Amino acid sequence: MKELHIDAKDRGHIEKIRSMNYDQLHELAQEIRKYLIEVTSTNGGHLASNLGTVELTLALYRIFDPYEDYIIWDTGHQTYTHKLLTGRWDAFKTLRTYGGISGFTNIFESEIDRFGAGHVGTSIAAALGIEKALRLQRKKANVVVIIGDGALTSGQALEALNQVKAQNSNIKIILNSNGMSISKNVGGLSQLLETLRTSKIYVNIKEKVKKGLAEAVEFELKKIKEALKVALIGEDFFESLGLKHFGPIDGHDIRTVEEALKQIKDYPYPTVLTVFTIKGKGYEHSEQNPTKYHGVEKFDPDSGIFDKPQNAYSYSEVIGTTLIKIASEDEKVVALTAAMPDGTGLSRFAKEFPERFVDLGITEQSVVTYAGGLATLGHKPVVAIYSTFLQRAYDQIIHDVAIQNLDVLFAIDRAGFVGTDGPTHHGVFDISYLRLIPNIKIITPLDGQDLANVMYTILKQRDKYSGPIAIRYPRDIEFGKIDEICGKIELVDPLKWQFLIEGKEIAILAVGMIAKKYIDIAKKNEWTLIGVRSVKPCDESALENVISKHKFVITIEENSTIGGFGEGVARTYLEKYSEKFDCKILNIGIPDEFITHGTREELLKLVGIDSESIELKIKSIITKGVVV
């Protein structure tokens, strides 16, 4: 599908805000917030983070020119005001819809989105690269980074920050400090920044100093106040790395932010300006619970109540509930996550077993290695992490866990299409990038109960199912009562496939929870349908049985066909069964391209793995008598 592209020459809103007085800017800020709430309440999206950056963006684009300068937004999930001001005010109504604008920065959508991002921590490194390119091309432009205090704790951001002085950089970094990433920040650096946010002595003295100085000379005496800050709080982290550090200032006071930006714009050194903002600013429900309103689905803007199906539970909730049951019976179970306790369903676990819950913040690499350390002393670590974020810890999976064959269980959430977050968040590569690693097993449960059973079995029988194991499951829901799942938990064989429908001639091998989408077409057409519970190792006894009795075997997976389950089946057939049986194999999955955003149902249809498309494709095979 062709990406929506916005004309980057539309400067209307930038010129408009530069001609406004502060009263008019305040009114515009409220209008923007109202618009953000209106659209996200219908389309979903990142609400709280964007409500917190409205005034900051307005002030930023009155001083820096997004059309001439290079403004790099970290993560991209706080850029809705940026999009509104750079030619996408009307298109914003299509936010995150199929064919509409992205919820993140996207270089194919607009040239003013200088660097696309959906994962945290990339902005400083990208900015250094852009700055280097500008120098090589003898071009002059300001390079500005906006990064949150949560994102700053990620390894890549800190690595790049450490290189700023060595690169003779002059970038300007605006640190948006709100004490949050998705959930509340953790770790020493976030505690340092929070100390700066909340130090009553510093804040009180700062206010008294501020009131005693004329606005014109306040910033010129900044270093005096910075010295005072260091004396009260300790050595400045950024100054120790060779960056000049200014702030903190009120990120919702446009005039104050403007004055600070004017001063640092021509400052001949790399600079960090800390601004304090409130995540969820201007919307009562979001201010009170910014984590809940970080990433929202459809909701009622007046009451703040989410439009959720009754008696439904997510697979993330199944993981959290099941782990609580297992941990109550086994003190060696430890749950880990990387800044995602709510998204991965571990919030209740964290409250029930605080000593056996580990959140290392946005540090996927460290979380995996930490889990490996736990496993060496006989604990049973469970790393709950989104498929797309696990990509960031690939070396650690191989080097720290798989080579040592450690008993680390990966609960891979959001496997498959995640829907409206789009290509930066789709979990469609994990089977491929894990399948090639020795020692690792990949399990794909068939429904919520099977997910609970598989996890229960593996953790209860870790001696039998040893080594690194990945359990993958989609971002989806089931209907029923989640507490009943724990009441029905039983031991199963996670390495065996399940025959769902017995048929003839055609056999469908469908990976994981997508399998049950094909029950109706399998019954109607008398096709065999098998739920593939184990991708690796392959259930070869079941595979041989299927190949021996069917003319065609169709593999279906919500993963890339390159390196996927189907590729493994085809190879096994050629190596072991091709001389013995005459069977044709067809692999169906995600094509070799990045898939856009849209609802999960829209995307399944787009790539042809919805039940209707599968039925048509199989009937075409039967008619032609060959695999096409």
Side-chain angles (χ1 to χ4, degrees), residues 452-464:
N453 292 344
V454 163
M455 175 163 283
Y456 182 80
T457 301
I458 291 170
L459 291 174
K460 279 290 185 181
Q461 301 181 345
R462 213 45 174 113
D463 292 341
K464 182 178 180 180

Side-chain angles (χ1 to χ4, degrees), residues 348-614:
R348 280 182 55 205
F349 185 98
K351 293 177 182 177
E352 294 267 351
F353 305 101
E355 291 186 355
R356 286 191 278 153
F357 173 72
V358 179
D359 180 1
L360 297 184
I362 308 172
T363 58
E364 293 86 358
Q365 296 169 321
S366 294
V367 169
V368 171
T369 305
Y370 190 117
L374 282 166
T376 62
L377 291 180
H379 283 276
K380 300 177 181 180
V382 179
V383 178
I385 196 165
Y386 292 5
S387 171
T388 184
F389 298 144
L390 190 59
Q391 296 165 181
R392 311 188 97 189
Y394 194 57
D395 179 64
Q396 285 68 33
I397 295 170
I398 297 173
H399 180 272
D400 300 337
V401 175
I403 287 177
Q404 303 183 87
N405 202 30
L406 296 176
D407 291 347
V408 175
L409 180 59
F410 296 97
I412 305 180
D413 206 329
R414 271 65 167 176
F417 288 128
V418 297
T420 53
D421 277 336
T424 58
H425 283 63
H426 292 323
V428 295
F429 305 112
D430 55 85
I431 289 178
S432 301
Y433 70 67
L434 293 174
R435 198 172 69 83
L436 58 82
I437 302 174
N439 291 333
I440 201 164
K441 300 177 182 69
I442 306 171
I443 310 301
T444 54
L446 305 181
D447 55 29
Q449 186 66 60
D450 201 37
L451 174 58
N453 292 344
V454 163
M455 175 163 283
Y456 182 80
T457 301
I458 291 170
L459 291 174
K460 279 290 185 181
Q461 301 181 345
R462 213 45 174 113
D463 292 341
K464 182 178 180 180
Y465 302 105
S466 60
I469 299 177
I471 302 176
R472 79 186 300 261
Y473 46 95
R475 182 185 189 180
D476 210 343
I477 61 172
E478 285 184 6
F479 291 92
K481 296 181 180 179
I482 191 170
D483 292 336
E484 292 180 357
I485 285 182
C486 286
K488 297 177 182 177
I489 283 182
E490 61 182 1
L491 295 174
V492 297
D493 187 343
L495 305 184
K496 291 295 181 182
W497 297 351
Q498 184 175 341
F499 283 73
L500 301 175
I501 304 291
E502 293 281 358
K504 56 187 178 181
E505 189 174 351
I506 300 287
I508 301 172
L509 306 184
V511 174
M513 296 183 189
I514 200 172
K516 294 192 175 180
K517 291 183 178 293
Y518 311 123
I519 287 178
D520 289 342
I521 63 171
K523 284 181 178 178
K524 182 174 71 172
N525 295 285
E526 297 184 326
W527 297 333
T528 295
L529 174 62
I530 296 172
V532 175
R533 182 188 277 149
S534 175
V535 166
K536 183 186 177 185
C538 173
D539 184 351
E540 291 196 15
S541 63
L543 180 59
E544 183 175 5
N545 183 9
V546 170
I547 289 173
S548 68
K549 297 178 180 179
H550 296 82
K551 185 177 180 181
F552 299 100
V553 172
I554 318 296
T555 69
I556 308 173
E557 58 194 304
E558 203 172 342
N559 184 84
S560 172
T561 53
I562 298 178
F565 165 74
E567 191 175 278
V569 168
R571 181 178 183 132
T572 301
Y573 169 72
L574 289 172
E575 292 179 348
K576 296 186 177 183
Y577 305 120
S578 60
E579 294 183 3
K580 189 175 180 182
F581 304 111
D582 182 16
C583 180
K584 293 181 172 58
I585 312 290
L586 172 65
N587 301 148
I588 301 176
I590 313 300
D592 184 24
E593 60 186 86
F594 292 106
I595 307 301
T596 186
H597 56 272
T599 66
R600 186 159 178 255
E601 291 71 25
E602 288 171 332
L603 300 183
L604 291 174
K605 188 172 183 63
L606 175 67
V607 300
I609 56 177
D610 61 302
S611 61
E612 181 181 355
S613 298
I614 291 296

Side-chain angles (χ1 to χ4, degrees), residues 249-265:
I249 60 174
D250 181 356
H252 298 297
D253 185 330
I254 296 175
R255 188 193 300 269
T256 298
V257 176
E258 270 188 41
E259 291 301 319
L261 292 174
K262 285 178 184 176
Q263 296 293 334
I264 69 169
K265 182 176 183 179

Side-chain angles (χ1 to χ4, degrees), residues 187-430:
L189 180 56
S190 68
Q191 291 173 6
L192 172 66
L193 295 171
E194 185 65 13
T195 299
L196 185 60
R197 283 178 64 89
T198 59
S199 171
K200 291 183 178 179
I201 297 175
Y202 170 68
V203 171
N204 288 341
I205 293 177
K206 175 180 175 293
E207 288 302 314
K208 290 178 181 179
V209 171
K210 182 177 179 180
K211 290 177 182 178
L213 294 172
E215 183 178 290
V217 299
E218 178 184 352
F219 205 91
E220 300 305 322
L221 295 176
K222 186 67 180 176
K223 296 311 293 182
I224 296 175
K225 291 193 287 180
E226 293 302 316
L228 177 61
K229 179 170 65 179
V230 171
L232 293 172
I233 297 175
E235 183 179 8
D236 187 281
F237 171 75
F238 301 104
E239 298 273 350
S240 68
L241 293 175
L243 291 86
K244 302 300 181 182
H245 184 198
F246 299 106
I249 60 174
D250 181 356
H252 298 297
D253 185 330
I254 296 175
R255 188 193 300 269
T256 298
V257 176
E258 270 188 41
E259 291 301 319
L261 292 174
K262 285 178 184 176
Q263 296 293 334
I264 69 169
K265 182 176 183 179
D266 298 319
Y267 202 71
Y269 302 101
T271 305
V272 175
L273 172 65
T274 297
V275 299
F276 287 166
T277 61
I278 298 171
K279 189 171 183 178
K281 173 75 172 176
Y283 183 50
E284 181 181 2
H285 303 293
S286 185
E287 283 194 34
Q288 291 176 353
N289 194 339
T291 299
K292 180 179 179 180
Y293 290 88
H294 170 80
V296 298
E297 300 295 338
K298 188 175 181 179
F299 68 96
D300 177 63
D302 294 325
S303 66
I305 297 174
F306 288 92
D307 184 16
K308 288 187 175 181
Q310 295 295 314
N311 298 318
Y313 54 82
S314 69
Y315 295 127
S316 304
E317 291 176 285
V318 173
I319 288 291
T321 302
T322 305
L323 273 178
I324 289 172
K325 174 179 172 58
I326 300 171
S328 66
E329 302 170 0
D330 188 345
E331 63 182 13
K332 289 189 177 295
V333 172
V334 180
L336 304 92
T337 189
M340 300 293 288
D342 296 282
T344 56
L346 294 182
S347 295
R348 280 182 55 205
F349 185 98
K351 293 177 182 177
E352 294 267 351
F353 305 101
E355 291 186 355
R356 286 191 278 153
F357 173 72
V358 179
D359 180 1
L360 297 184
I362 308 172
T363 58
E364 293 86 358
Q365 296 169 321
S366 294
V367 169
V368 171
T369 305
Y370 190 117
L374 282 166
T376 62
L377 291 180
H379 283 276
K380 300 177 181 180
V382 179
V383 178
I385 196 165
Y386 292 5
S387 171
T388 184
F389 298 144
L390 190 59
Q391 296 165 181
R392 311 188 97 189
Y394 194 57
D395 179 64
Q396 285 68 33
I397 295 170
I398 297 173
H399 180 272
D400 300 337
V401 175
I403 287 177
Q404 303 183 87
N405 202 30
L406 296 176
D407 291 347
V408 175
L409 180 59
F410 296 97
I412 305 180
D413 206 329
R414 271 65 167 176
F417 288 128
V418 297
T420 53
D421 277 336
T424 58
H425 283 63
H426 292 323
V428 295
F429 305 112
D430 55 85

Side-chain angles (χ1 to χ4, degrees), residues 70-207:
Y70 288 77
I71 315 295
I72 315 299
W73 292 85
D74 199 274
T75 312
H77 72 308
Q78 54 184 342
T79 57
Y80 290 179
T81 303
H82 155 80
K83 287 176 180 277
L84 293 176
L85 298 179
T86 54
R88 285 164 275 187
W89 188 280
D90 292 333
F92 190 72
K93 294 174 184 177
T94 70
L95 178 76
R96 292 162 52 97
T97 60
Y98 183 69
I101 66 171
S102 168
F104 301 95
T105 48
N106 184 333
I107 62 173
F108 302 109
E109 179 180 296
S110 173
E111 298 168 25
I112 309 308
D113 292 359
R114 300 296 193 178
F115 197 83
H119 293 189
V120 303
T122 64
S123 58
I124 300 175
L128 290 174
I130 288 171
E131 186 181 48
K132 178 69 171 180
L134 290 170
R135 288 176 178 171
L136 291 173
Q137 296 172 22
R138 304 294 189 267
K139 295 180 180 178
K140 288 188 177 181
N142 296 293
V143 180
V144 182
V145 166
I146 302 92
I147 185 170
D149 49 355
L152 189 67
T153 64
S154 69
Q156 185 179 7
L158 293 173
E159 288 173 358
L161 194 66
N162 190 47
Q163 293 299 317
V164 170
K165 184 177 181 180
Q167 293 294 315
N168 296 314
S169 174
N170 193 34
I171 65 171
K172 309 299 185 247
I173 300 172
I174 300 172
L175 176 60
N176 177 26
S177 179
N178 59 25
M180 304 286 291
S181 47
I182 294 175
S183 299
K184 190 167 180 61
N185 291 329
V186 295
L189 180 56
S190 68
Q191 291 173 6
L192 172 66
L193 295 171
E194 185 65 13
T195 299
L196 185 60
R197 283 178 64 89
T198 59
S199 171
K200 291 183 178 179
I201 297 175
Y202 170 68
V203 171
N204 288 341
I205 293 177
K206 175 180 175 293
E207 288 302 314

